[in-house]
């Protein structure tokens, strides 16, 4: 059977419930155990739940070996079954290849593609909230509440592979707080932390929901912006620069502290890259040019 078209419209529906015997653990989920989205939990809808790389997938996995529409989880009476949709590398439940359909039970391990492993399970709302809190804590920087460097690296890898595969645009923006060491030395580390937290908040409110804003390390931040050309990324970077510089930051002693940032931009395909480190290096070089040119500016 051939894969569905990339642009197939998949309608979101209400939550799927398991049989009454599930003892109120009545929400069906897939949790990524192994793969680029490790730890992520997907609530399954009442209708067909598509697993694959298509942007319309319920469980979107941009891992090697996963087909656009790899498999579908669907209701069959009071049970849930998984169908392989003619995927290139097959679908396996507890090590057994799915030929046609396979009934799913709580705790089953599902392998799609070469490396991705999912766990099928039923959760109640308390389970769901606990998992989401644990997942968030593993992905977020404690001070700024932005995504951490590990999550940034995983997402950049996936987004770049998607951009290379589909020849779509991808921008990386690197941001450095100007003269941050001076802030720490003259106003103290508490003030420095307040500056980082406020800069992070301003950056997060100035981007799209789908953009990834992360703390890259120290006083440096990074933004991954998919489907964004170099020209649009430069406009976004300038808006970010103005947003940070627009008003002073009030630190613990109550005194206003003017803060500016320097920003470097790199975008594919304008910059020919093959690996995430190539894009990071290009954006970092652009950031260096912005800093050596006088700071409080954008460069590519």
């Amino acid at each position: 059977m051939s894969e569905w078209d990339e642009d197939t419209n998949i309608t979101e529906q209400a939550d799927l419930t398991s049989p009454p015997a599930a003892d109120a653990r009545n929400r069906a989920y897939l949790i990524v155990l192994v793969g680029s989205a490790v730890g992520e939990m997907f609530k399954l809808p009442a209708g067909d739940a598509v697993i694959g790389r298509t942007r319309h997938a319920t469980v979107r996995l941009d891992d090697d070996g996963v087909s656009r529409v790899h498999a579908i989880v669907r209701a069959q009476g009071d049970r849930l079954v998984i169908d392989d949709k003619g995927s290139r590398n097959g679908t396996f439940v507890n090590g057994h290849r799915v030929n046609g359909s396979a009934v799913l039970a709580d705790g089953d391990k599902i392998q799609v593609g070469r490396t991705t492993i999912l766990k099928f399970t039923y959760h109640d709302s308390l389970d769901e909230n606990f998992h989401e809190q644990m997942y968030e804590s593993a992905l977020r920087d404690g001070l700024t509440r932005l995504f951490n460097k590990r999550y940034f690296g995983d997402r950049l890898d996936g987004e770049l592979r998607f951009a290379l595969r589909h020849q779509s645009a991808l921008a990386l923006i690197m941001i450095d707080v100007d003269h941050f060491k001076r802030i720490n030395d003259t106003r103290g580390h508490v003030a420095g932390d307040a500056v980082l937290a406020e800069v992070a908040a301003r950056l997060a409110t100035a981007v799209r929901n789908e953009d990834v804003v992360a703390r890259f390390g120290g006083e440096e931040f990074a933004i991954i912006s998919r489907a964004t050309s170099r020209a649009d990324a430069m406009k976004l970077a300038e808006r970010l620069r103005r947003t940070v510089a627009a008003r002073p930051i009030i630190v613990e002693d109550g005194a206003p502290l003017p803060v500016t940032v320097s920003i470097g931009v790199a975008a594919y395909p304008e910059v020919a890259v093959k690996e995430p480190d190539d894009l990071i290096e290009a954006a970092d070089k652009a950031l260096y040019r912005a800093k050596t040119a006088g700071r409080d500016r954008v460069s590519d």
Side-chain angles (χ1 to χ4, degrees), residues 102-264:
V103 177
L104 293 174
D106 195 2
D108 279 350
K109 307 300 188 301
I110 303 168
Q111 180 178 332
V112 292
R114 290 190 289 270
T115 59
T116 301
I117 299 176
L118 309 168
K119 178 182 178 180
F120 174 78
T121 187
Y122 291 105
H123 278 335
D124 60 23
S125 58
L126 291 178
D127 292 329
E128 179 185 2
N129 292 336
F130 176 76
H131 182 93
E132 288 179 349
Q133 290 172 11
M134 294 297 293
Y135 181 58
E136 282 290 300
S137 67
L139 300 181
R140 298 285 180 177
D141 172 64
L143 174 64
T144 65
R145 304 310 302 160
L146 297 179
F147 288 114
N148 58 29
K149 190 174 182 178
R150 176 183 175 182
Y151 180 81
F152 163 81
D154 289 343
R155 279 296 299 270
L156 183 61
D157 180 68
E159 294 291 350
L160 181 57
R161 283 191 283 111
F162 183 90
L164 291 169
R165 185 183 301 119
H166 297 280
Q167 290 299 294
S168 58
L170 178 67
L172 176 61
I173 300 172
M174 301 292 287
I175 303 162
D176 189 83
V177 178
D178 294 330
H179 303 297
F180 184 73
K181 184 177 184 301
R182 183 188 304 169
I183 295 172
N184 271 338
D185 291 345
T186 60
R187 302 293 289 272
H189 289 283
V190 173
D193 286 350
V195 167
L196 292 177
E198 178 60 22
V199 168
R202 294 183 187 184
L203 295 176
T205 58
V207 299
R208 305 172 303 180
N209 289 337
E210 61 264 37
D211 293 333
V212 176
V213 187
R215 186 180 182 188
F216 191 73
E219 67 273 22
E220 196 167 2
F221 303 92
I223 298 174
I224 304 169
S225 189
R226 65 160 45 184
T228 301
S229 67
R230 171 192 167 278
D232 288 339
M234 290 292 286
K235 293 176 184 177
L236 170 59
E238 178 59 25
R239 184 167 75 247
L240 295 170
R241 186 197 66 79
R242 292 197 306 266
T243 297
V244 173
R247 63 186 189 280
I249 295 174
I250 307 300
V251 295
E252 192 176 59
D253 60 12
L257 182 61
V259 174
T260 61
V261 293
S262 299
I263 304 179

Side-chain angles (χ1 to χ4, degrees), residues 6-42:
E6 177 74 19
D7 295 320
T8 299
N9 183 37
I10 296 169
T11 305
E12 295 183 1
Q13 301 184 51
D15 294 344
L16 182 68
T17 58
S18 69
D23 189 26
R25 296 169 63 82
N26 58 356
R27 295 178 175 86
Y29 295 86
L30 289 174
I31 300 173
V32 183
L33 298 182
V34 180
S36 62
V38 62
E40 192 162 356
M41 181 168 64
F42 298 90

Side-chain angles (χ1 to χ4, degrees), residues 68-103:
R68 288 200 305 275
V69 174
H70 195 102
I72 292 180
V73 177
R74 59 183 178 82
Q76 187 180 79
D78 60 358
R79 305 176 301 178
L80 291 179
V81 300
I82 187 167
D83 300 335
D84 183 82
K85 301 305 294 183
S87 65
R88 184 169 63 253
N89 293 298
T91 301
F92 299 80
V93 176
N94 300 327
H96 300 288
R97 184 160 190 154
V98 175
N99 293 307
S101 299
V103 177

